[in-house]
């Protein structure tokens, strides 16, 4: 395999800095962010050894988005070029994602990052869907074969995040819309801010968030994925941190130091969550809805891949994208959609979209590669 040494070093250093960063001194006054993660040997280190290229490919893959940042993937390394991407049963979200639909979308996004990163190292990631149902552990077979070196700007992957605040009110321009639609083959719909349809989606998103926040099982599941203290965030490197939830400044400091995840079960906290979501849902350029051709595992993986391809293009154009998934997680939301659309319309993502003045640096944490690989 031919790899330009300079570009290899640049890439592996960039990935290294994701894990090392400059700041191993984590101030008690600020929340942990991705670049704070110190280098240390994780306790549950896998015995599987990977070379630097394959380690880097999986590190890029793991920067994919996932519901509650649960990072539902596990990768079985059968040989250096033969891997199986699986769904980790410990990382399911049964209360909000009982059919593992979102886990499959997230694994699709992981697979897309993996394929892109591999291509920049002169490897083609050939993939075949193994699973028939979403509760099987083995989901996707990956074979790495030598191929032409592709030149893809990997900083799109390292720089992407789910931005929630600061959406500007301007509508998405025609040219940008064409670019974002490219991966979808017509299965994406834009509802610009100010239209009746966009208002309807915003109100539905808020209403279904409110419904979900009143459901104890869903709220308890959220509590399980909160990593409020820096200590817990550093120990687990997944889930939702104050920085990831964009709880900043004094409020962030207070939450990190004085609030327990279980406090989120209290009515006041649930109410605050709804009020906050209502404010966000009314900001931005409108909504994108992504649909799929069918409901098979292959459809879900493909939709997750396209979604990731789109968010990477959006990153480059300083366009923020936030899934507001409660609409698709609450039965009332699904019923409302079904009542107003044709039967073959299968929604997979409801996304708030908007231009940003400045695209921030990603903050959500990831587990190191050797925490999610096995032999
Ligand atoms: C299938 C799926 C559903 C998601 N649903 C929501 C959601 O309802 N609300 C939200 O704020 N973010 C949602 N997200 C974004 C995740 O919270 C986010 O990807 C995760 O916290 C990691 O952060 P990052 O995207 O900035 O890397 C979702 C992501 C995926 C892939």
């Amino acid at each position: 395999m031919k790899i330009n040494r300079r570009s290899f070093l640049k890439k592996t250093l960039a990935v290294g800095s994701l894990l090392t960063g400059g700041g191993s001194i984590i101030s008690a006054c600020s929340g942990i962010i991705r670049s704070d993660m110190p280098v240390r040997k994780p306790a549950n280190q896998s015995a599987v050894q990977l070379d630097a290229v394959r380690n880097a490919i999986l590190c890029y893959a793991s920067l994919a988005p996932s519901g509650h940042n649960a990072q539902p993937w596990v990768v079985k390394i059968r040989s250096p070029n033969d891997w199986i991407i699986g769904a980790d049963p410990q990382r399911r979200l049964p209360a909000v994602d009982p059919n593992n639909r979102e886990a499959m979308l997230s694994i699709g996004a992981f697979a897309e990052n993996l394929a892109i990163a591999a291509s920049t190292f002169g490897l083609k990631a050939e993939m075949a869907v193994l699973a028939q149902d979403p509760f099987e552990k083995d989901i996707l077979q990956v074979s790495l074969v030598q191929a032409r070196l592709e030149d893809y700007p990997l900083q799109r992957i390292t720089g992407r995040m789910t931005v929630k605040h600061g959406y500007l009110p301007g509508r998405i321009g025609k040219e940008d819309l064409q670019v974002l639609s490219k991966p979808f083959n017509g299965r994406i719909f834009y509802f610009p801010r100010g239209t009746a349809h966009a208002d309807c989606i915003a109100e539905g998103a808020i209403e279904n968030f409110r419904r979900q926040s009143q459901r104890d099982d869903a709220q308890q599941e959220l509590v399980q994925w909160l990593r409020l203290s820096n200590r817990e965030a550093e120990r687990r490197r997944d889930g939702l941190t104050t920085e990831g939830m964009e709880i900043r400044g004094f409020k962030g400091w207070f939450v990190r130091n004085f609030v327990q995840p279980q406090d989120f079960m209290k009515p006041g906290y649930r109410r605050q969550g709804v009020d906050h979501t209502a404010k966000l849902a009314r900001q931005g350029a409108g909504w994108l809805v992504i649909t799929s051709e069918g409901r098979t595992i292959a459809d879900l993986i493909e939709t997750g891949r396209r979604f990731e391809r789109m968010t990477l293009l959006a990153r480059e154009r300083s366009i923020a994208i936030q899934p507001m998934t409660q609409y698709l997680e609450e039965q009332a939301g699904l019923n409302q959609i079904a009542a107003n659309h044709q039967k073959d319309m299968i929604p997979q993502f409801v996304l708030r979209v908007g231009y940003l003045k400045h695209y921030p640096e990603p903050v959500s944490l990831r587990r190191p590669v050797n925490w999610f690989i096995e032999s």
Side-chain angles (χ1 to χ4, degrees), residues 163-225:
V163 184
K164 300 177 182 72
H165 289 96
Y167 286 38
L168 300 171
R171 292 181 176 188
I172 302 298
K174 203 169 157 197
E175 194 210 328
D176 285 334
L177 209 53
Q178 264 168 6
V179 170
L180 299 189
S181 306
K182 237 200 271 166
F184 288 100
N185 226 349
R187 299 203 172 267
I188 186 166
F189 304 91
Y190 174 50
F191 302 100
R193 177 196 181 87
T195 59
H197 211 136
D199 290 346
C200 178
I201 297 174
E203 293 316 307
I206 298 164
E207 181 54 21
N208 286 293
F209 188 97
R210 190 187 59 74
R211 279 197 186 103
Q212 188 167 100
S213 70
Q214 285 171 356
R215 209 157 41 88
D216 282 351
D217 60 342
Q219 195 69 10
Q220 190 59 52
E221 190 166 270
L222 170 70
V223 163
Q224 277 166 20
W225 288 97

Side-chain angles (χ1 to χ4, degrees), residues 45-299:
Q45 199 178 154
S46 164
V48 186
Q49 294 297 321
L50 277 180
D51 64 26
V53 167
R54 283 159 183 79
N55 198 71
I57 291 170
L58 287 174
C59 188
Y60 283 110
S62 75
L63 300 181
S66 60
H68 288 358
N69 195 22
Q71 305 171 33
W73 41 79
V74 54
V75 181
K76 204 184 286 175
I77 309 292
R78 300 210 295 195
S79 74
N81 293 327
D82 178 14
W83 303 345
I84 292 180
I85 306 175
D88 187 338
Q90 310 290 330
R91 294 179 171 273
R92 284 187 193 147
L93 304 173
V96 297
D97 185 25
N99 300 319
N100 254 8
R101 183 190 71 89
E102 293 170 40
M104 295 302 113
L105 293 170
S106 305
I107 285 174
F110 178 94
E112 181 63 17
N113 279 2
L114 189 157
I116 291 171
S119 76
T120 70
F121 287 107
L123 291 166
K124 183 166 192 290
E126 292 179 347
M127 298 199 189
V129 176
L130 298 173
Q132 300 289 326
D133 85 65
F135 298 107
E136 283 174 51
K137 191 176 173 202
D138 294 348
I139 306 294
L140 262 181
Q141 179 169 2
V142 180
S143 306
L144 297 174
V145 294
Q146 287 194 19
R148 215 185 53 195
L149 202 72
E150 299 290 340
D151 193 19
Y152 182 95
L154 287 170
Q155 59 272 23
R156 284 186 194 158
I157 294 181
T158 53
R160 181 213 60 83
M161 69 173 285
T162 303
V163 184
K164 300 177 182 72
H165 289 96
Y167 286 38
L168 300 171
R171 292 181 176 188
I172 302 298
K174 203 169 157 197
E175 194 210 328
D176 285 334
L177 209 53
Q178 264 168 6
V179 170
L180 299 189
S181 306
K182 237 200 271 166
F184 288 100
N185 226 349
R187 299 203 172 267
I188 186 166
F189 304 91
Y190 174 50
F191 302 100
R193 177 196 181 87
T195 59
H197 211 136
D199 290 346
C200 178
I201 297 174
E203 293 316 307
I206 298 164
E207 181 54 21
N208 286 293
F209 188 97
R210 190 187 59 74
R211 279 197 186 103
Q212 188 167 100
S213 70
Q214 285 171 356
R215 209 157 41 88
D216 282 351
D217 60 342
Q219 195 69 10
Q220 190 59 52
E221 190 166 270
L222 170 70
V223 163
Q224 277 166 20
W225 288 97
L226 292 176
R227 309 287 180 245
L228 298 186
S229 70
N230 281 351
R231 198 159 161 261
E232 194 59 5
E234 196 192 351
R235 195 169 75 82
R236 309 288 289 268
R237 303 198 194 186
D238 59 8
L240 302 170
T241 58
T242 53
E243 294 287 341
M245 294 185 282
E246 298 184 10
I247 306 175
R248 303 253 162 81
F250 172 76
K251 209 168 171 186
W253 171 82
F254 183 84
V255 171
R256 274 190 301 282
N257 292 290
F258 300 107
V259 175
Q260 299 302 317
Q262 205 56 33
D263 290 333
F264 278 63
M265 294 304 288
K266 294 178 183 165
Y269 279 82
R270 299 192 203 203
R271 222 174 15 248
Q272 267 184 45
V274 178
D275 292 346
H276 186 61
T277 297
K279 226 191 262 168
L280 295 183
R282 296 185 180 117
Q283 291 169 6
W287 296 84
L288 292 170
V289 174
I290 294 171
T291 65
S292 64
E293 277 135 66
R295 298 178 195 273
T296 65
I297 306 299
D299 288 319

